Amino acid sequence: MSNITISLPDGSERELPAGATALDLASSIGRRLAKAAVAATVDGTETDLNRPLAEGATVAIITEDTDGGRHVLRHSTAHVMAQAVTRLFPGAKFSIGPAIENGFYYDFDLPGAATFSDDDLVAIEAEMRAIMRADQPFVRSEMSMHEAKQLFADQPYKVEIIERVEAAEADSEDSVEIGEGGVISAYRNTDTFVDMCVGPHVPSTGRLGHFKLQRVSGAYWRGNEKAPMLQRIYGTAWESKQALDDHLHQLEEAAKRDHRKLATELDLLSFPHELGGGLAVWHPKGATVRKLMEDYSRLRHEQGGYDFVFTPHLANGKLFETSGHLAWYADGMYPPMEMDNGTYYMKPMNCPMHCLIFKSRQRSYRELPLRLFELGNVYRYERAGTLHGLLRIRGFTQDDSHIYCTHEQLADEIASLLDFVLSVLRAFGFDDFTFNLSTKDPDKFVGTDEDWNEATDALREALERHGLDYKVKEGDAAFYGPKIDIDVRDAIGRSWQLSTIQADFQLPERFDLEYVGADNGRHRPIMLHRALFGSIERFFGVLLEHYAGNFPTWLAPLQVRVLPVATAHEEYARNVVEMLTDAGARVDMVGAGDALGKRIRSSKLDKLPFILVVGDDDVAANTVGVNPRGGEVERGVGVAEFVQRFSDDVAAGTNQALTA
């Protein structure tokens, strides 16, 4: 039997018998690798472990403890879930079941518009475990579209996907679902269950098992509110019991930190149904924190050489035609308002109006870089099913900056922006960052390849100049330019995308922006978009969850509460409040109407940095009892001493924020 030569990612080569598979390759390297393998990448394409390899192929083994490996585990588990549901609910129709971040889901249409109950999830889990114990192989097959429609004739959602591909109307979910080039691929577990999918999958169901079904929700087919409402089951799957347990523990912690729950408990803000979905009102305590955030942002921008601007909440549609938003972003905008002098839209972005400010008069190269800053309200129509408290909202405030610079200034300006962004994020307690460079979507962009290449190279140079590791997200840029996204990791290890730096050659072109250069000629500036918080609302929500409501002293809405032991001590307590107020503290007093223990417990639930208790001894000695959040209780602390200690604590936090 002849041999074939396979190349490995490190450049080495390996000889295998003809007909060998990726699993054979993994086994030839080592037993541990073979045991951990779930799929392979062959010449850049992910594939099943049991598919024969060709001479000269470059092969990388995908292991279960990598992002790619977990994706395979989760997608395979989703297929097993669909198999279990069709066993338990005869006549059920299944649509799509992708792997998603940290898990998977599958959408079902049950007979008679039935819905899944919690007991059903228990039964489905049990059936899935029976399928996994049976160690059923995933067997791949390929067929024509006509053959596929016959095979899935009793599954209308699968047939619709095939017909959309035939009509060249496929979206990204469709391509993931069935394949390319008119060839449909499917995976069969048994004679009674087959699912349409590109793959890859694990070799058999026995490779699965560390999973948990989590919840059921409604989901419109294709997100269309006029389409059928399906039942979506969410689950999570991991490579080991420990990894699964760690994730479930993180979810428990996340539930405790849910900003919507904390916002209600701490009386920070609310989402009145009378306003409509995705719109919040800020209560005094929440508004205090927001003001501190905004004041800090204004101060840093003032120190950073930014000019402050303000723009209206709506504009004539012609503005968004010029900017390209109506051509590329109309689905994310609120419907038009017909007025007597034209069609108006609520603004989804501030950038077109900032371009008008630049264009309002002739500009000189001596003015560049021109840095414009606005805390600007914008409005985006997010679908009801995607709304999530402050993290996905319809009306929000961006800390929006647009910098206009020359080609020669571009790289330095981006590098400076990176320093600025990271220092502000550190000021609020984040120090673990991930950087992503998003490049051009070949099907959704404006401008020339040359402009895009220059902009992308400038962003890449800035990241590398800072020595920052980054990932390239191919095709993930907005239509007008590449970008750097900065993700932060919070106190329980979750990643949040917050800040963005985007290079844009297109809006200056579309708005015909010019400056007069040193040569007296007219030149086109480059525009940098930069949202630091992302939005005030989203950043507040992330911050609230990061601290679990325990804001640092400088940022806490109420910093100190004074509790008199009895009514006789209230006058002294008011004097302590006055001294703290004079020192700049946000402080209140709760009188002795309730028992002291009850008031202390209630104050701790408010997550206050300091609770002060005053009684007879304190009145006599001009002292306080200090109950610091998370610390040991101290008795007999002099009032002046505590005021100084408090002031030092606030100053330390503020100074750290200003020098981060």
Side-chain angles (χ1 to χ4, degrees):
M1 180 182 292
S2 61
N3 289 342
I4 58 173
T5 301
I6 300 300
S7 297
L8 299 177
D10 63 0
S12 63
E13 295 182 340
R14 210 168 189 90
E15 280 199 6
L16 296 171
T21 65
L23 183 57
D24 294 328
L25 172 63
S27 298
S28 74
I29 296 172
R31 291 176 57 188
R32 291 180 63 184
L33 180 62
K35 183 178 180 181
V38 292
T41 300
V42 179
D43 295 330
T45 301
E46 290 189 358
T47 187
D48 299 307
L49 285 173
N50 57 11
R51 296 182 74 177
L53 301 174
E55 166 66 29
T58 298
V59 183
I61 302 300
I62 301 174
T63 56
E64 61 187 3
D65 59 348
T66 63
D67 288 344
R70 294 186 187 105
H71 186 277
V72 174
L73 290 174
R74 290 162 185 163
H75 195 38
S76 300
T77 306
H79 277 234
V80 171
M81 181 170 70
Q83 183 181 4
V85 168
T86 55
R87 279 187 179 184
L88 295 173
F89 299 86
K93 310 302 179 187
F94 50 104
S95 58
I96 57 172
I100 57 176
E101 184 179 8
N102 293 329
F104 59 89
Y105 70 79
Y106 220 121
D107 291 346
F108 300 96
D109 191 350
L110 298 182
T115 58
F116 293 113
S117 67
D118 291 342
D119 289 341
D120 290 332
L121 291 189
V122 174
I124 294 167
E125 269 199 14
E127 189 65 26
M128 290 172 67
R129 297 196 185 281
I131 292 169
M132 293 170 184
R133 286 194 299 272
D135 198 21
Q136 302 168 358
F138 281 94
V139 180
R140 180 186 173 92
S141 61
E142 295 182 350
M143 65 203 77
S144 68
M145 291 192 183
H146 175 70
E147 291 170 329
K149 283 194 286 187
Q150 288 183 318
L151 178 62
F152 292 100
D154 63 339
Q155 292 294 334
Y157 300 102
K158 301 294 185 184
V159 172
E160 182 181 329
I161 291 172
I162 298 168
E163 290 175 342
R164 284 176 60 87
V165 174
E166 283 184 310
E169 298 175 356
D171 58 22
S172 59
E173 286 185 335
D174 292 336
S175 61
V176 169
E177 184 76 17
I178 65 174
E180 299 176 350
V183 176
I184 308 299
S185 57
Y187 284 80
R188 184 177 293 278
N189 288 36
T190 64
D191 292 339
T192 59
F193 183 77
V194 60
D195 198 358
M196 188 165 62
C197 185
V198 171
H201 285 293
V202 295
S204 67
T205 60
R207 287 299 311 273
L208 308 172
H210 305 295
F211 75 96
K212 176 69 177 175
L213 299 188
Q214 296 168 293
R215 69 184 190 279
V216 179
S217 70
Y220 289 109
W221 171 233
R222 296 192 175 280
N224 183 349
E225 295 174 3
K226 297 181 180 179
M229 172 66 78
L230 306 180
Q231 297 295 301
R232 175 172 294 179
I233 300 179
Y234 285 96
T236 187
W238 296 81
E239 69 274 15
S240 67
K241 183 178 185 301
Q242 184 62 56
L244 174 63
D245 289 345
D246 289 346
H247 178 67
L248 294 177
H249 176 70
Q250 185 189 69
L251 292 180
E252 291 176 5
E253 286 299 308
K256 297 175 186 175
R257 294 168 178 259
D258 189 310
H259 72 280
R260 297 165 297 181
K261 172 176 173 285
L262 290 172
T264 298
E265 293 173 353
L266 300 177
D267 193 23
L268 301 174
L269 54 90
S270 59
F271 298 87
H273 67 86
E274 294 90 345
L275 280 181
L279 300 169
V281 292
W282 293 73
H283 302 188
K285 289 181 181 178
T288 296
V289 181
R290 176 173 178 148
K291 179 181 180 298
L292 292 165
M293 293 168 55
E294 292 180 350
D295 288 348
Y296 175 80
S297 178
R298 289 188 182 96
L299 177 61
R300 289 298 306 274
H301 283 87
E302 189 172 5
Q303 294 172 341
Y306 286 76
D307 293 314
F308 289 45
V309 297
F310 298 92
T311 59
H313 293 230
L314 75 169
N316 192 292
K318 293 179 181 178
L319 178 69
F320 301 118
E321 288 177 4
T322 301
S323 68
H325 285 97
L326 282 180
W328 297 101
Y329 197 75
D331 289 346
M333 297 171 65
Y334 268 91
M337 295 173 280
E338 298 300 333
M339 312 293 282
D340 55 2
N341 61 342
T343 302
Y344 284 74
Y345 290 85
M346 303 296 289
K347 65 175 178 179
M349 313 280 187
N350 298 302
C351 37
M353 298 182 183
H354 290 189
C355 287
L356 297 181
I357 294 173
F358 184 96
K359 194 177 181 179
S360 63
R361 62 174 175 82
Q362 181 174 287
R363 301 286 177 177
S364 165
Y365 72 96
R366 294 185 179 89
E367 298 178 70
L368 304 185
L370 176 64
R371 305 181 182 102
L372 303 182
F373 170 70
E374 177 179 15
L375 286 169
N377 296 98
V378 297
Y379 304 88
R380 299 180 188 174
Y381 181 69
E382 304 285 358
R383 293 190 175 276
T386 67
L387 297 175
H388 184 76
L390 295 175
L391 305 182
R392 196 73 178 266
I393 194 168
R394 287 173 171 165
F396 53 93
T397 305
Q398 287 189 310
D399 61 330
D400 225 353
S401 294
H402 295 98
I403 297 95
Y404 300 88
C405 63
T406 68
H407 285 252
E408 294 75 19
Q409 294 167 336
L410 180 60
D412 286 342
E413 199 64 24
I414 294 172
S416 175
L417 279 176
L418 273 174
D419 287 332
F420 189 92
V421 168
L422 294 180
S423 72
V424 172
L425 293 176
R426 290 188 177 108
F428 285 91
F430 298 111
D431 56 13
D432 188 352
F433 307 109
T434 301
F435 303 89
N436 298 299
L437 175 62
S438 296
T439 62
K440 180 179 67 179
D441 181 340
D443 299 320
K444 189 177 180 181
F445 74 98
V446 293
T448 66
D449 289 338
E450 291 77 14
D451 285 347
W452 275 84
N453 291 339
E454 182 180 350
T456 304
D457 289 344
L459 293 172
R460 194 189 311 272
E461 179 186 337
L463 288 165
E464 293 175 355
R465 187 188 302 185
H466 281 70
L468 301 172
D469 293 328
Y470 63 93
K471 295 180 180 179
V472 177
K473 299 175 75 173
E474 300 288 351
D476 198 48
F479 68 88
Y480 48 81
K483 62 178 178 174
I484 296 171
D485 285 327
I486 301 173
D487 298 355
V488 302
R489 195 170 298 279
D490 71 8
I492 59 172
R494 296 172 300 176
S495 184
W496 302 91
Q497 196 279 306
L498 292 177
S499 306
T500 300
I501 300 171
Q502 192 159 23
D504 181 3
F505 287 71
Q506 311 314 321
L507 284 188
E509 182 74 30
R510 297 175 78 91
F511 280 93
D512 194 26
L513 304 185
E514 293 180 335
Y515 67 91
V516 177
D519 59 357
N520 288 323
R522 295 188 176 276
H523 302 273
R524 190 80 72 202
I526 300 170
M527 183 178 181
L528 292 171
H529 303 248
R530 195 236 59 205
L532 199 159
F533 290 151
S535 78
I536 297 293
E537 289 78 3
R538 177 176 168 80
F539 192 83
F540 181 93
V542 172
L543 205 62
L544 184 55
E545 296 199 9
H546 174 61
Y547 286 115
N550 297 297
F551 289 110
T553 304
W554 75 274
L555 199 56
L558 185 66
Q559 298 164 314
V560 186
R561 175 166 290 161
V562 183
L563 304 178
V565 173
T567 305
H569 310 122
E570 289 183 355
E571 182 177 352
Y572 176 73
R574 282 190 285 270
N575 291 335
V576 173
V577 168
E578 184 176 349
M579 291 182 65
L580 284 164
T581 301
D582 290 343
R586 295 183 290 277
V587 55
D588 71 0
M589 182 196 83
V590 176
D594 289 318
L596 178 62
K598 181 179 180 180
R599 285 180 287 147
I600 291 175
R601 287 191 296 272
S602 176
S603 299
K604 288 185 175 181
L605 290 175
D606 286 339
K607 301 181 182 289
L608 305 177
F610 296 99
I611 302 169
L612 304 183
V613 178
V614 295
D616 288 337
D617 292 344
D618 298 299
V619 173
N622 198 31
T623 61
V624 294
V626 181
N627 191 336
R629 183 177 60 201
E632 296 295 326
V633 175
E634 297 179 74
R635 304 295 185 194
V637 178
V639 175
E641 178 187 344
F642 175 77
V643 170
Q644 185 61 53
R645 188 190 304 179
F646 168 81
S647 298
D648 291 344
D649 187 8
V650 173
T654 305
N655 290 336
Q656 180 180 353
L658 291 174
T659 59

